[in-house]
Amino acid sequence: GAVVSQHPSRVICKSGTSVKIECRSLDFQATTMFWYRQFPKKSLMLMATSNEGSKATYEQGVEKDKFLINHASLTLSTLTVTSAHPEDSSFYICSAIRTRGNEQFFGPGTRLTVL
Amino acid sequence: QQQVKQSPQSLIVQKGGISIINCAYENTAFDYFPWYQQFPGKGPALLIAIRPDVSEKKEGRFTISFNKSAKQFSLHIMDSQPGDSATYFCAAMRDGGSQGNLIFGKGTKLSVKP
């Protein structure tokens, strides 16, 4: 149990386009999901906390208008990178916490490359 | 300011040896300390976690040692295997606080040589 999936696993897009990444908890309900960004050989940086049915909480320095987060259901959160630029290229990872619990279960990540 | 300091940055161990990775934290409010294992191109997976009320926790070949007074904790991998080669992250969190607000160390790349 406690599987988190992400789709797509890899995406290549042109500069200026928008990309949507989905994060799903497959076998549990997740009131809270998190979005991280990881640069090569670096640690995970929390971008935002997403709570079902409410607005996401963004970490300092993360542009909320650029990284749109929607958590419409207890099993799905989406991250949309708007007007993507090459510097947005990164590995994006989501995680989810069970509705009653504190352990984070991570998704497999999405590799975004912006040309 | 980095709240969780992890060392070493990289580690090479012979098969069968013991891998030791250390972390130190600053915030005494932290009360949940997990270790994650990450393979290239994959998301992190929880390996083992400890709370401050115990000094050691063992699961198979993996052991966490926790020193509350020194604000340090370490991961020991016994009988290291080539399949253990991965990047390991320690993390800390204030359980019950901003839920799930994990603070990660910078990671240790472990290579286990056959």
Side-chain angles (χ1 to χ4, degrees), chain A residues 34 38 43 101-104 106-107, chain B residues 38 44 46 51 95 99-100 105:
Chain A
F34 303 88
Q38 186 177 33
S43 189
N102 60 7
E103 180 182 341
Q104 284 193 37
F106 286 84
Chain B
Q38 185 180 29
L46 179 67
R51 297 186 185 277
D95 196 9
Q99 188 182 25

Side-chain angles (χ1 to χ4, degrees), chain A residues 4 6 21 23 33-39 42-48 79 90-96 104-111, chain B residues 38-39 41-44 89:
Chain A
V4 176
Q6 281 185 240
I21 302 170
C23 176
M33 291 184 171
F34 303 88
W35 287 97
Y36 294 84
R37 183 173 181 176
Q38 186 177 33
F39 291 103
K42 297 293 184 182
S43 189
L44 287 80
M45 290 177 49
L46 180 65
M47 298 176 64
L79 168 67
S90 191
F91 193 50
Y92 292 87
I93 306 172
C94 73
S95 70
Q104 284 193 37
F105 299 96
F106 286 84
T110 296
R111 172 74 60 191
Chain B
Q38 185 180 29
F39 292 104
K42 303 295 183 183
F89 293 95

Side-chain angles (χ1 to χ4, degrees), chain B residues 11-19 37 39 61-62 76-86 88 110-114:
Chain B
L11 181 63
I12 299 175
V13 174
Q14 288 296 125
K15 178 182 176 181
I18 302 174
S19 304
Q37 179 188 57
F39 292 104
R61 295 186 293 111
F62 302 93
H76 295 234
I77 306 175
M78 312 299 286
D79 187 26
S80 299
Q81 300 296 313
D84 297 330
S85 297
Y88 292 81
L110 171 65
S111 297
V112 181
K113 300 299 184 184

